[in-house]
Amino acid sequence: MEKTLKRWFPVFVLPTGIAFLIAFLIPFIMGIYLSFCEFRTVTDAQFVGFVNYVRAFTENSDFVNALWFTVKFTVVSVISINIIAFALALALTRGLKGTNLFRTVFFMPNLIGGIVLGYIWQVIINGVLYNFGYSITSDATYGLLGLIVLMNWQMIGYMMIIYIAGIQNIPHDILEAAKVDGAGKIRMLFNIIIPSVMPSITICLFLTITNCFKLFDQNLALTAGAPAKQTQMAALDIYNTFYGRIGFEGVGQAKAVVFFLIVAAIALLQLYFTGKREVEG
Amino acid sequence: MKKRISALILSLILILLSFSLAGCGKNSNYPVYFLNFKPESAAVYEEIAKAYEKEKGVTVKVVTAAANTYEQTLKSEIAKSNAPTIFQVNGPIGYQSWKEYCLDLKDSKLYSYLTDKSLAITEGEGVYGIPYVVEGYGIIYNNAIMQKYFALPEKKVNVSSADEIKNFETLKAVVEDMTANKDKLGIEGVFASTSLSSGEDWRWQTHLLNVPLYHELSENVDYDDPTLAGLNSKEIAFRYSDNFKNLFDLYTNNSITQKTLLGSKSTSDSMSEFALGKVAMVQNGNWAWSQIANVNGNTVSENDIKFMPLYIGVAGEEHQGLCIGTENYFAVNKNATDEQKRASLEFLDWLFSSETGKDFVTNKLDFITPFNTFTNEELPNDPLAKEVVRYMKDESLTTVPWIFTSFPSENFKTEVGSELLQYVQGSREWKDVVATVKDKWKSER
């Protein structure tokens, strides 16, 4: 069996391998190379060294501002998404009536694409704010809150499903033993349920952190950075630098590489710390 | 062993298969690939391509970039192996970024048709961009509403027709009195929304800003031509900033939309407000006719649509005309094959000199062209283009050229636009706008 698998290995890995190469590895390496270049289109690059990296931070404070805004958004969203998703998962694993219906309803928003979602929420939020004589671009706070609400709405359903799977996998005997020993509801939650679903928490944190950090479509559709780039997240800033300004293509590319390093570092750190707390199954 | 070989063969076949699939795209190498800048004319260009194929048997591929994404689209399209053969640059600044791709058009027929050769983008001996349309902008007004106002017994001004508005002072008096009487006139505001959502603010950060900067740059004695003066100015004083504020404030104070909501309005919102007769005036150019005419429930009659120059309160503006110029220059891709270059130049020649081509240009695209192949009778029929021609022919008026082609960069305009948004929302003051215009001009140059 092992031998057969080895023999046919190239055949099975080939389609994915090629796709990975064409759609990820080659662009990725090219992207890193381009970040050291001055270029107009991706095919006419000239090597210039670290200039782009310096310019990314010195030309203006857009990138730093965008990163800071991204961090604020991510911290709030990750906490709220995970707490609400976990609470919903708890509620929907108690065998209440209509559980399946609720699970479907909460999951639905996740099926709508980011751009569409951004415009839908723009209409909703503006519809409310109009009554008070404001619009979502009046103040950066509205944009931030709007993005957080939108992201919660979209991601809670997905995270909830993962938590539900985790909770359902907790062996009944543990729960019953705890109950017999006289553990209260809160004690059960913190000492039995949460440690048992640690793998789910790792996954959910990973997904929410990286997705929030990389958020682009929703940001573009909801506010496009208005007012005055104050609600511009890092990915949108990179896009605007690359496409919006002639002569800044390399700078945009350099920002993208820096951004990649930041996201990768945060994701790895998070996996390391939550992974340590996982209980051996 | 045999099995190993068959596995290898199978993977080879898969590789070949995937490459042959990727190769399928190669067959679509068109002789002419036209990357269109004007989304409002997308359908017409498709028709033109069909007509050309029928007449000459040459296929023309037309791709239209969505509004405000031309630079992005061009940037990604031109890197492809099937790059556009005809594309567009938006003036001397735009040419600087695409000069590596622009073919010298000195010997082209299209250039020989150009009435005023100085309009083309040149560098040294070479000609790299040829303008193909002349456009004008100003304040478009609905004369039916204006006449209704001038007939009001309680009107506070002593002018009796819109033609008599010749300076900012009169305009302001009329507009403010109209606002006071808006219920009687059946309008919701005098001006359509000053659209300031992102990508929709070009009417202010580019077109309106053109006027005060034109006045400043024409005072530069070192250059005869204000555009040239603009291109060579490292810094500007923004001397007429208060005049810019005059008209901009008039727009927002007498608008159909509350100031704080302008950040969510788009140009098409403004145009439909105008078309539905909810407002009397809107600042835009003659290209907006198709937008007005195509609004469902359009109540504005063709005979009532008129143009008025942008009066901002500078001395002698009684003789100021519309802002007329171009930011549409054809360029041919230098890196295309010789066959493609020849076919592209032939297509452009056909479009602007053959009977069929000219018919499309005049009657479907509604272009006023700068070419001598068009007679005085071959002018577009739409009311706004007619107005532009009328203003161009009026000897007593000085046309304001489009000096914004000398603005330092796209980013300069974007920054000014977002500053204007914050100004109307009340989070910034006018002096911040002035500072931004000056600082960004300097840093973006």
Side-chain angles (χ1 to χ4, degrees):
Chain A
M1 181 65 198
E2 193 99 313
K3 225 173 150 193
T4 331
L5 211 62
K6 225 175 205 167
R7 189 181 306 134
W8 293 94
F9 180 75
V11 180
F12 287 120
V13 94
L14 201 72
T16 327
I18 289 178
F20 185 72
L21 199 72
I22 293 177
F24 183 79
L25 213 56
I26 294 176
F28 183 71
I29 292 167
M30 216 170 130
I32 292 179
Y33 168 69
L34 282 174
S35 72
F36 296 101
C37 294
E38 162 85 45
F39 63 99
R40 196 102 315 149
T41 64
V42 291
T43 46
D44 61 356
Q46 259 173 354
F47 194 82
V48 291
F50 276 95
V51 182
N52 291 329
Y53 287 87
V54 178
R55 282 176 78 197
F57 290 96
T58 53
E59 198 79 36
N60 52 42
S61 55
D62 284 357
F63 190 47
V64 180
N65 292 346
L67 279 176
W68 183 228
F69 183 78
T70 311
V71 169
K72 277 199 280 190
F73 163 76
T74 307
V75 168
V76 181
S77 304
V78 166
I79 294 174
S80 61
I81 290 174
N82 283 291
I83 289 180
I84 300 175
F86 189 77
L88 283 176
L90 272 183
L92 294 180
T93 42
R94 323 188 107 209
L96 296 173
K97 228 181 185 177
T99 296
N100 278 333
L101 177 75
F102 280 115
R103 285 182 190 177
T104 319
V105 168
F106 285 122
F107 187 73
M108 290 282 256
N110 199 51
L111 302 174
I112 308 174
I115 287 279
V116 180
L117 212 58
Y119 283 119
I120 293 175
W121 276 95
Q122 190 192 46
V123 171
I124 298 176
I125 294 172
N126 273 338
V128 175
L129 288 176
Y130 271 8
N131 297 327
F132 305 96
Y134 294 106
S135 74
I136 191 158
T137 57
S138 303
D139 195 320
T141 323
Y142 298 138
L144 177 63
L145 290 176
L147 273 174
I148 291 171
V149 170
L150 190 164
M151 204 58 187
N152 272 285
W153 195 68
Q154 187 179 24
M155 296 212 43
I156 280 173
Y158 193 31
M159 298 306 132
M160 178 194 76
I161 297 291
I162 299 178
Y163 283 129
I164 286 178
I167 292 172
Q168 282 175 339
N169 273 339
I170 303 174
H172 269 281
D173 40 357
I174 299 186
L175 292 174
E176 263 161 39
K179 218 181 246 170
V180 171
D181 287 346
K185 274 189 179 153
I186 293 175
R187 200 165 180 109
M188 292 260 286
L189 180 66
F190 285 99
N191 291 27
I192 311 287
I193 299 180
I194 291 187
S196 316
V197 296
M198 227 30 221
S200 307
I201 294 180
T202 310
I203 288 291
C204 286
L205 279 181
F206 177 78
L207 285 175
T208 42
I209 290 177
T210 50
N211 276 337
C212 287
F213 239 88
K214 296 185 305 182
L215 195 70
F216 176 78
D217 316 17
Q218 289 85 336
N219 189 205
L220 179 73
L222 192 71
T223 63
K229 298 182 183 169
Q230 286 173 37
T231 60
Q232 182 169 263
M233 294 180 59
L236 186 61
D237 179 52
I238 291 169
Y239 172 82
N240 283 338
T241 316
F242 188 93
Y243 278 114
R245 306 191 65 181
I246 297 289
F248 279 72
E249 292 84 357
V251 180
Q253 203 59 52
K255 284 181 181 179
V257 172
V258 173
F259 184 55
F260 162 75
L261 292 176
I262 295 175
V263 176
I266 292 177
L268 288 177
L269 270 178
Q270 178 263 323
L271 283 182
Y272 173 73
F273 280 114
T274 45
K276 262 203 331 201
R277 306 191 52 154
E278 279 177 22
V279 196
E280 286 294 314
Chain B
M1 194 60 203
K2 228 179 188 174
K3 273 189 179 162
R4 166 153 292 186
I5 288 171
S6 63
L8 273 174
I9 288 175
L10 194 60
S11 40
L12 257 172
I13 291 173
L14 272 173
I15 292 180
L16 286 176
L17 200 71
S18 60
F19 275 103
S20 63
L21 274 176
C24 283
K26 285 255 161 67
N27 298 332
S28 54
N29 214 338
Y30 292 92
V32 182
Y33 173 2
F34 177 74
L35 188 62
N36 171 28
F37 174 80
K38 291 176 163 291
E40 67 269 24
S41 331
V44 183
Y45 277 116
E46 298 286 347
E47 266 182 70
I48 292 174
K50 270 197 205 109
Y52 189 64
E53 182 161 12
K54 213 168 144 199
E55 209 166 289
K56 301 275 174 183
V58 180
T59 318
V60 178
K61 176 185 178 187
V62 178
V63 171
T64 301
N68 266 306
T69 60
Y70 195 78
E71 290 287 310
Q72 284 100 303
T73 315
L74 181 57
K75 200 181 272 187
S76 46
E77 285 296 305
I78 213 155
K80 293 182 182 169
S81 53
N82 297 325
T85 60
I86 305 171
F87 61 96
Q88 182 170 331
V89 290
N90 65 0
I93 298 289
Y95 164 66
Q96 285 306 319
S97 29
W98 295 108
K99 62 195 295 184
E100 309 292 321
Y101 294 89
C102 293
L103 182 72
D104 185 356
L105 303 171
K106 187 169 65 231
D107 303 320
S108 67
K109 279 192 182 148
L110 194 66
Y111 180 62
S112 71
Y113 300 149
L114 201 60
T115 324
D116 179 358
K117 300 275 191 274
S118 71
L119 289 174
I121 301 176
T122 53
E123 186 172 294
E125 291 289 292
V127 175
Y128 299 96
I130 300 177
Y132 61 91
V133 56
V134 175
E135 295 170 309
Y137 64 86
I139 297 175
I140 303 172
Y141 63 89
N142 183 343
N143 207 23
I145 298 175
M146 298 308 286
Q147 277 164 350
K148 205 164 158 191
Y149 164 72
F150 289 120
L152 285 183
E154 63 269 43
K155 69 165 187 194
K156 289 206 186 78
V157 292
N158 53 7
V159 288
S160 51
S161 93
D163 293 335
E164 290 172 45
I165 303 176
K166 287 285 176 201
N167 56 31
F168 177 73
E169 215 179 315
T170 325
L171 176 68
K172 187 173 166 154
V174 169
V175 166
E176 285 176 351
D177 197 29
M178 280 175 82
T179 302
N181 292 304
K182 64 181 180 186
D183 293 337
K184 291 193 192 97
L185 298 172
I187 53 175
E188 291 170 35
V190 178
F191 287 106
S193 303
T194 308
S195 61
L196 281 164
S197 65
S198 85
E200 300 284 349
D201 48 2
W202 44 270
R203 286 187 290 153
W204 332 109
Q205 36 91 317
T206 306
H207 289 172
L208 185 55
L209 189 58
N210 185 66
V211 186
L213 290 185
Y214 158 74
H215 287 293
E216 175 172 339
L217 291 169
S218 9
E219 288 166 8
N220 188 332
V221 288
D222 298 340
Y223 300 93
D224 303 335
D225 176 32
T227 312
L228 217 56
L231 284 170
N232 288 296
S233 299
K234 294 235 169 347
E235 283 178 56
I236 48 163
F238 201 16
R239 221 169 293 140
Y240 293 98
S241 57
D242 285 342
N243 304 85
F244 182 72
K245 182 174 185 287
N246 277 346
L247 190 51
F248 189 74
D249 280 352
L250 193 70
Y251 286 162
T252 52
N253 288 335
N254 298 282
S255 174
I256 181 174
T257 310
Q258 208 178 323
K259 280 188 187 185
T260 43
L261 303 183
L262 292 173
S264 58
K265 293 292 178 186
S266 68
T267 311
S268 47
D269 289 332
S270 327
M271 295 327 289
S272 60
E273 286 156 10
F274 181 79
L276 297 175
K278 290 182 185 171
V279 297
M281 301 182 188
V282 60
Q283 182 202 310
N284 213 342
N286 58 296
W287 56 85
W289 166 243
S290 59
Q291 261 176 309
I292 298 173
N294 291 335
V295 169
N296 268 343
N298 174 24
T299 61
V300 189
S301 129
E302 219 171 287
N303 303 322
D304 288 329
I305 293 196
K306 304 278 179 210
F307 256 130
M308 184 195 308
L310 297 172
Y311 296 122
I312 57 171
V314 294
E317 66 183 354
E318 286 75 10
H319 299 294
Q320 182 185 310
L322 295 182
C323 300
I324 296 171
T326 186
E327 60 165 343
N328 299 281
Y329 299 85
F330 278 138
V332 173
N333 190 349
K334 193 160 75 177
N335 303 333
T337 63
D338 286 344
E339 174 60 24
Q340 284 177 323
K341 286 177 198 166
R342 200 183 47 77
S344 302
L345 288 171
E346 264 170 20
F347 170 67
L348 290 178
D349 176 28
W350 174 85
L351 183 59
F352 292 100
S353 70
S354 76
E355 284 309 313
T356 333
K358 275 165 45 176
D359 183 50
F360 271 115
V361 172
T362 326
N363 299 322
K364 292 275 180 64
L365 290 172
D366 290 333
F367 284 173
I368 306 166
T369 63
F371 300 119
N372 59 22
T373 45
F374 289 78
T375 62
N376 279 341
E377 284 72 47
E378 286 173 307
L379 286 168
N381 251 328
D382 80 70
L384 290 176
K386 278 188 199 154
E387 281 281 288
V388 172
V389 174
R390 181 171 71 84
Y391 271 95
M392 274 163 90
K393 286 190 175 149
D394 193 333
E395 298 282 325
S396 68
L397 299 177
T398 329
T399 294
V400 176
W402 288 17
I403 60 108
F404 63 75
T405 51
S406 71
F407 285 5
S409 70
E410 282 302 309
N411 195 50
F412 166 77
K413 302 178 202 168
T414 317
E415 298 271 356
V416 173
S418 73
E419 198 67 40
L420 285 173
L421 171 64
Q422 288 178 292
Y423 166 67
V424 294
Q425 289 178 342
S427 50
R428 296 286 211 128
E429 287 176 48
W430 185 254
K431 65 176 194 315
D432 300 317
V433 180
V434 177
T436 303
V437 173
K438 285 198 277 196
D439 296 347
K440 290 294 164 189
W441 182 289
K442 199 169 151 191
S443 65
E444 291 291 318
R445 174 101 288 164

